[in-house]
C-alpha cells in the first residue's frame, strides 16, 4: 500500500485545508514543533479507516469551539494493483465515498471494502477501539506507544495467522494434540505444572510414607527410653540409700551456725567502735570554735593599726577639699554674669529676625491671595463647562455590552437573510409574445408577467399559464420555513433591543457611542485642568483663599504689636552667632557650677569620712582594752589545749580496736556462712530430687509396660513397607509421564518453529542489525519471547520483553512490527507503517542502527515518520517536509 496524497479540512486544529501530496513510496519524514499538527495528521488517517462515517462519537475531530464544522479526510493510495481514492466526512454532512479505479462504492459498502483490504474491524457502535484495529493497529504506532506490542499483536493475531496460511491452526488441530493434552492432564495430576513438584495422589503417598516413618522412629525412641529408665531407677535407689545413711547436710549446717556466731561477735564490736568514733566529731568542732575565737582576737589587733592610718588619711583629704571650694565658687559667679549678657543679646537678635520674617510672610501671603483669586475664577469656569459636558454624556450614554449585543443581533439578522436568500427559489422568465393581452399573459400569484424579469420566492407561489394550467412553486421546503421563523424572531429581537436602547438603528447607536467617546475625552481633559487648578476641589480652593485672607490680616496686627527697632540693631550679629554665644556662655556657667558643686560634695564627703574613721578606731580600741576580753582569751587557750589531748587519746584507742576487727577477717567469715548454707541446701535438695526422680521413673515405667511397644513397633514397620511400595509406583509413573510430555512438547515445538519459520526469518533479519549474536523465539501467539544474548547466562524469565529498558522495548517493538509487515507483504497483504515520534528514548548508537533498519525496510514498505526533532533524522537519507511550510502554502 502506497499513500499518494492526503487532504484534511475542518479537522481539529486544521480549520483550513491542509494537503500532503506527492509522498515517496519509501521513506517520508514529516517534521514540526510540538502542537504543530503531526499527531492530528495521524489521527486523520486513523479516522479515515477506523471510524464509521455516521458515528456521532467523534466530536473531538471538530475544531475547538466550532460545533458546526464537518471534519473531512481525503486519501489517495495504491494497493492490490489499483488506485484507491477515499473521501470521508463526519458529523454535519456524513458521507463516505470510495473509488477503486472505475468502481465507486458509497458509505457502508465502502467501509466494508476497506476492512477487507487492510484487515481490521469497525466498531458496531461508539468510537473505534484498539481491539478493532487489526493489522493497521499493529503497524501504525501512536505517539508514546512504540514500547507496547503485546495487545496490538493479540488484536492482529488472526490476520497474521491467515498470512501464515493457517499454520498455527493446523498445529492446534492435529490429533497429536489430543494425546498431548491427555498426557499433560495425567502428568499434572501427579506433578505441578511449572516446578514438577509432587501433587495429588503422589503427594499424599509421600506424605503418608513420611508420617509412618516418623511414627516408627517415635516408637523406637520410646522403647529405648523405657530401657534407659529401668537402668536409671536402680542407680537412683542406690544413691537415696547412701544419702539416708550419711545425711551429709547436717554437719554442714553445724559448721554454718559456728561461723555465724563468730561473725555476730565481730558485728557487735564494730558497732561499739562506730559509736566511739562518732565522739570525735563534737570534740573537733569545739576545738575549731576555740581556734576561731583566738584568730578573731589577733585579727582585731591588726585592724586597730589599719583604722589609725585610715583616720589620718581622711583628715588630710578634708583639708585639701576645703582649699578647692573658694576658687570654684568665684568662677561660677563670673560665668553666670557672662551667660545673662549673652541671653539679652540673643533676645534683641530674635526680635529683629521675627519682625523681618513677619514682613516677608505678609508680602508672600498678599501675592498668594492674588494667585488664588485668579485660579478660583478659572476653576469655576471649568466647573460650569464640566457639568454641561457630563449632562450631555448622561443623555447619550450607551453601554458597550449593549452595543455589542445590538451588533450581534444585526449580524444575526443579516446572516439569516443571506441564508434565506440562498435557500429561496430564484424564478426567472422571458416571454416573446409582447402583443398578447393581459387576459392571456402568465400570472404569478395573480400578477401578470411580461417581457423578462425575475423574482426571489420565499414562500409558496402559484404560476398560472392560460390555456395550459398552473404550477405551484414551493421554495426551500422545511429549511426555508425554519429560516423564516428564525428571521422573524431575530427581527423582533433586534427591534426590541433598539426600543430598549432608544435608537432607531444600529447606525444611530454607533453615532451615539462615538459621541459618548468624544464627550468622555473632553470630560477627562476638563477634569485634568480642574485638578491642576483645584486638586481638592473648588470649595477647598475657596476655603484656602478665605483662610489666607484671615492670615494676612493677622500678620498685619502682629507687625503693629512688635516694639520699634533700637539704635545699633543693624550691627547686631547673626541669629546663629548670637545663639552659639549663648550656648557657649551657658555651657561654661554649667561647667563652673558643676565644679563648685563637686568641690562642695568632696568637702562634705571628706568630713563624713573623718567622723566615721574616728568612731571605728575608738570603738575597736575600747573593746581590746577591756578585762572581759582578756579573761575570755585566756579561757579559750586553756580549753583548746585540754580538748586536743582528749582527741589524741580517743584516736589511739580507736585504731587499736579497728586493728583487732580487721585481723578477724569478717568478710571471709561472711563468705563461709554463705558457702556452708548453700552446701547444706544443695545436699538436701539433691536428696529430695532423687526421691522425686524415683517416683517419676516408677510411674513412667508402669505406664510404658502397659502399652505393648514391641507389638506396635512390628505393626508400624509393616505399614511403612506398604506405603513405600505405593509411593515408588507413583514416582515411576510421574517420571514416565513427565518424560513423555517433554518428548511430545519437543516434537510440537519443532513443528511450530517450522510453521513459524517465515516470520522468524524476518525477525532474525532485523534482530541481527540491532542486537548482534542475540536471538528471540516466537510463542504460539506470534509474540516475541525473551531476548537471549550469546555467551550470557540468564535466569528463567529474564530478558522478557516487559523486563527490557524503555528504549530497548521501543526498538524491539519497532523491529517486530517491521517483521510482521514483511510477512504480510509476502502474503500479498497491503502494508503502511506510521511512526509518530517513535524511538525518542534510543541512545545514539541504537538510533543509528534503527535508521539503517528503517532505510532497509523502506525498500519494501512505505514508511511515514513524524518527528519534532528534524536534526535527529538528518542522516535518514530523505528530505524532511515541514508542516509549518505546508500550512503557509510553500
Amino acid at each position: 500500500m502506497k499513500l499518494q496524497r492526503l487532504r484534511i479540512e475542518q479537522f481539529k486544529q486544521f480549520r483550513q485545508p491542509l494537503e500532503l501530496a506527492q509522498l515517496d513510496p519509501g521513506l517520508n519524514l514529516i517534521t514540526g514543533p510540538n502542537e504543530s499538527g503531526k499527531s492530528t495528521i495521524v489521527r486523520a488517517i486513523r479516522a479515515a479507516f477506523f471510524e464509521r462515517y455516521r458515528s456521532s462519537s467523534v466530536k473531538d475531530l471538530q475544531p475547538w469551539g466550532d460545533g458546526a464544522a464537518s471534519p473531512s479526510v481525503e486519501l489517495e493510495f495504491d494497493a492490490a494493483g489499483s488506485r484507491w481514492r477515499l473521501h470521508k466526512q463526519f458529523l454535519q454532512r456524513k458521507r463516505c465515498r470510495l473509488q477503486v479505479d472505475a468502481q465507486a462504492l458509497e458509505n457502508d459498502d465502502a467501509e466494508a471494502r476497506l476492512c477487507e483490504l487492510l484487515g481490521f474491524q469497525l466498531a458496531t457502535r461508539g468510537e473505534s477501539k484498539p481491539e478493532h484495529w487489526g493489522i493497521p493497529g499493529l503497524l501504525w504506532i501512536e505517539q508514546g506507544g512504540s514500547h507496547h506490542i503485546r495487545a496490538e499483536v493479540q488484536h492482529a493475531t488472526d490476520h497474521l495467522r491467515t498470512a501464515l496460511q493457517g499454520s498455527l491452526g493446523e498445529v492446534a488441530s492435529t490429533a497429536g494434540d489430543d494425546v498431548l493434552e491427555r498426557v499433560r492432564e495425567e502428568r499434572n495430576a501427579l506433578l505441578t505444572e511449572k516446578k514438577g513438584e509432587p501433587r495429588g495422589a503422589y503427594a499424599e503417598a509421600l506424605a503418608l510414607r513420611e508420617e509412618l516413618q516418623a511414627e516408627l522412629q517415635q516408637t523406637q525412641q520410646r522403647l529405648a527410653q523405657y530401657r534407659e529408665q529401668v537402668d536409671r531407677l536402680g542407680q537412683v535407689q542406690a544413691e537415696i540409700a547412701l544419702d539416708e545413711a550419711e545425711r551429709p547436710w547436717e554437719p554442714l549446717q553445724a559448721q554454718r551456725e559456728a561461723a555465724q556466731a563468730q561473725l555476730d561477735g565481730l558485728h557487735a564490736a564494730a558497732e561499739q567502735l562506730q559509736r566511739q568514733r562518732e565522739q570525735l566529731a563534737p570534740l573537733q568542732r569545739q576545738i575549731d570554735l576555740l581556734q576561731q575565737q583566738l584568730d578573731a582576737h589577733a585579727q582585731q589587733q591588726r585592724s586597730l593599726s589599719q583604722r589609725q592610718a585610715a583616720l589620718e588619711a581622711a583628715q588630710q583629704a578634708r583639708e585639701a577639699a576645703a582649699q578647692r571650694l573658694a576658687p570654684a565658687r568665684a568662677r561660677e559667679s563670673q560665668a553666670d554674669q557672662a551667660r545673662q549678657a549673652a541671653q539679652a543679646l540673643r533676645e534683641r537678635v530674635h526680635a529683629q529676625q521675627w519682625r523681618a520674617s513677619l514682613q516677608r510672610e505678609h508680602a508672600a501671603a498678599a501675592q498668594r491671595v492674588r494667585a488664588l483669586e485668579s485660579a478660583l475664577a478659572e476653576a469655576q469656569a471649568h466647573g460650569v463647562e464640566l457639568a454641561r459636558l457630563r449632562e450631555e454624556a448622561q443623555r447619550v450614554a450607551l453601554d458597550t455590552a449593549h452595543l455589542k449585543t445590538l451588533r450581534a443581533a444585526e449580524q444575526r439578522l443579516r446572516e439569516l437573510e443571506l441564508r434565506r436568500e440562498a435557500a429561496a427559489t430564484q424564478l426567472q422568465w422571458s416571454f416573446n409574445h409582447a402583443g398578447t393581452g393581459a387576459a392571456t399573459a402568465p400570472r404569478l400569484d395573480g400578477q401578470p408577467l411580461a417581457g423578462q424579469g425575475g423574482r426571489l420566492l420565499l414562500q409558496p407561489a402559484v404560476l398560472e399559464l392560460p390555456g395550459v394550467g398552473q404550477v405551484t412553486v414551493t421554495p426551500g421546503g422545511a429549511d426555508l420555513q425554519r429560516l423564516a421563523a428564525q428571521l422573524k424572531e431575530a427581527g423582533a429581537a433586534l427591534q426590541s433591543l433598539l426600543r430598549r436602547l432608544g435608537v432607531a438603528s444600529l447606525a444611530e447607536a454607533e453615532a451615539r457611542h462615538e459621541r459618548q467617546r468624544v464627550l468622555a475625552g473632553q470630560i477627562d481633559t476638563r477634569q485634568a485642568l480642574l485638578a491642576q487648578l483645584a486638586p481638592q476641589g473648588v470649595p477647598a480652593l475657596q476655603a484656602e483663599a478665605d483662610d489666607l485672607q484671615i492670615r494676612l490680616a493677622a500678620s498685619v496686627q502682629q507687625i503693629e504689636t512688635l516694639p520699634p527697632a533700637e539704635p545699633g540693631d543693624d550691627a547686631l550679629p547673626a541669629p546663629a552667632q548670637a545663639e552659639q554665644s549663648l550656648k557657649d556662655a551657658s555651657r561654661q556657667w554649667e561647667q563652673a557650677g558643676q565644679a563648685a558643686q563637686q568641690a562642695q560634695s568632696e568637702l562634705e564627703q571628706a568630713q563624713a569620712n573623718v567622723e566615721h574613721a574616728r568612731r571605728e578606731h575608738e570603738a575597736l580600741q575600747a573593746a581590746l582594752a577591756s578585762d572581759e576580753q582578756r579573761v575570755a582569751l585566756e579561757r579559750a587557750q586553756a580549753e583548746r589545749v585540754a580538748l586536743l589531748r582528749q582527741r589524741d587519746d580517743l584516736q589511739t584507742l580507736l585504731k587499736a580496736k579497728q586493728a583487732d576487727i580487721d585481723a578477724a577477717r569478717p568478710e571471709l567469715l561472711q563468705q563461709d556462712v554463705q558457702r556452708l548454707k548453700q552446701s547444706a541446701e544443695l545436699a538436701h535438695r539433691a536428696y529430695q530430687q532423687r526421691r522425686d526422680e524415683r517416683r517419676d521413673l516408677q510411674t513412667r515405667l508402669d505406664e510404658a509396660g502397659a502399652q505393648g511397644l514391641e507389638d506396635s513397633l512390628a505393626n508400624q514397620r509393616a505399614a511403612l513397607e506398604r506405603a513405600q511400595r505405593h509411593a515408588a509406583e507413583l514416582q515411576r509413573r510421574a517420571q514416565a509421564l513427565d518424560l513423555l510430555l517433554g518428548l511430545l512438547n519437543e516434537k510440537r515445538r519443532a513443528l511450530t518453529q517450522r510453521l513459524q519459520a517465515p516470520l522468524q526469518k524476518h525477525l532474525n533479519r532485523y534482530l541481527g542489525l540491532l542486537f548482534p549474536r542475540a536471538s528471540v523465539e516466537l510463542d504460539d501467539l506470534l509474540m516475541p519471547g525473551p531476548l537471549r544474548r550469546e555467551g550470557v547466562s540468564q535466569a528463567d524469565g529474564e530478558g522478557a520483553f516487559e523486563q527490557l529498558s524503555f528504549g530497548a522495548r521501543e526498538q524491539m517493538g519497532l523491529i517486530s512490527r517491521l517483521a510482521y509487515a514483511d510477512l504480510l507483504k509476502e502474503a500479498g497483504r497491503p502494508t503502511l507503517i506510521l511512526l509518530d515520534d517513535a524511538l525518542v528514548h534510543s541512545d545514539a548508537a541504537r538510533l543509528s542502527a534503527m535508521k539503517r533498519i528503517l532505510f532497509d525496510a523502506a525498500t519494501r514498505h512505505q514508511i511515514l515518520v513524524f518527528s519534532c526533532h528534524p536534526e535527529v533524522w538528518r542522516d535518514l537519507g530523505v528530505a524532511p517536509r515541514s508542516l509549518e511550510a505546508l500550512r503557509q502554502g510553500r
Side-chain angles (χ1 to χ4, degrees), residues 850-871:
M850 290 304 303
K851 292 174 184 176
R852 296 181 61 192
I853 291 173
L854 288 174
F855 194 84
D856 174 70
T859 61
R860 297 177 295 280
H861 313 282
Q862 186 182 40
I863 303 176
L864 273 63
V865 179
F866 296 85
S867 175
C868 59
H869 300 286
E871 68 279 0

Side-chain angles (χ1 to χ4, degrees), residues 585-734:
S586 298
R587 183 172 60 256
Q588 292 176 3
W589 174 66
E590 291 176 356
Q591 292 175 353
Q594 292 174 356
Q597 184 65 31
Q598 180 68 24
Q600 181 66 37
S601 299
E602 290 176 356
L603 177 60
E604 293 174 355
Q605 183 64 36
Q607 182 63 36
N609 291 340
V610 169
E611 296 297 331
H612 178 70
R614 181 182 293 110
R615 286 195 299 272
E616 287 188 345
H617 178 268
E618 292 175 353
L620 183 57
Q621 186 176 27
L624 290 176
S626 64
D627 294 338
E628 295 179 357
Q629 181 74 11
R630 180 179 55 77
V631 172
L633 180 62
E634 293 175 354
R635 186 184 306 112
Q637 290 175 342
E639 290 179 357
R640 178 176 177 277
V641 171
L643 289 174
L644 287 173
R645 188 180 301 110
Q646 183 179 357
R647 183 194 64 182
D648 295 340
D649 294 342
L650 182 58
Q651 287 178 344
T652 301
L653 177 62
L654 292 176
K655 288 180 181 178
K657 289 185 177 181
Q658 183 65 49
D660 294 341
I661 293 174
D662 294 341
R665 305 295 297 275
E667 69 279 2
L668 294 180
L669 286 175
Q670 180 66 43
Q671 294 176 0
D672 290 342
V673 171
Q674 185 67 25
R675 174 175 54 80
L676 293 171
K677 178 182 178 182
Q678 293 178 358
S679 299
E681 291 176 352
L682 289 174
H684 191 267
R685 189 179 303 119
Y687 167 67
Q688 294 293 339
Q689 289 175 351
R690 292 187 185 98
R691 294 182 61 184
D692 295 340
E693 184 179 2
R694 180 181 62 182
R695 182 174 62 255
D696 293 341
L697 287 172
Q698 288 175 348
T699 302
R700 287 199 295 270
L701 289 174
D702 292 341
E703 293 176 354
Q707 292 177 356
L709 294 177
E710 298 288 348
D711 296 338
S712 298
L713 185 61
N715 294 334
Q716 290 173 354
R717 283 174 176 169
L720 177 60
E721 290 177 359
R722 291 192 299 273
Q724 287 174 339
R725 287 195 301 271
H726 182 56
E729 292 174 0
L730 293 176
Q731 182 181 14
R732 288 192 296 272
R733 177 177 175 80

Side-chain angles (χ1 to χ4, degrees), residues 101-134:
D101 292 336
Q103 181 185 6
L105 300 173
E106 296 284 343
N107 300 335
D108 293 344
D109 294 337
E111 291 184 334
R113 184 67 178 274
L114 291 174
C115 293
E116 180 182 355
L117 173 68
L118 295 182
F120 65 92
Q121 300 175 359
L122 291 173
T124 56
R125 58 183 301 176
E127 191 174 1
S128 180
K129 296 181 175 57
E131 56 264 26
H132 304 129
W133 297 345

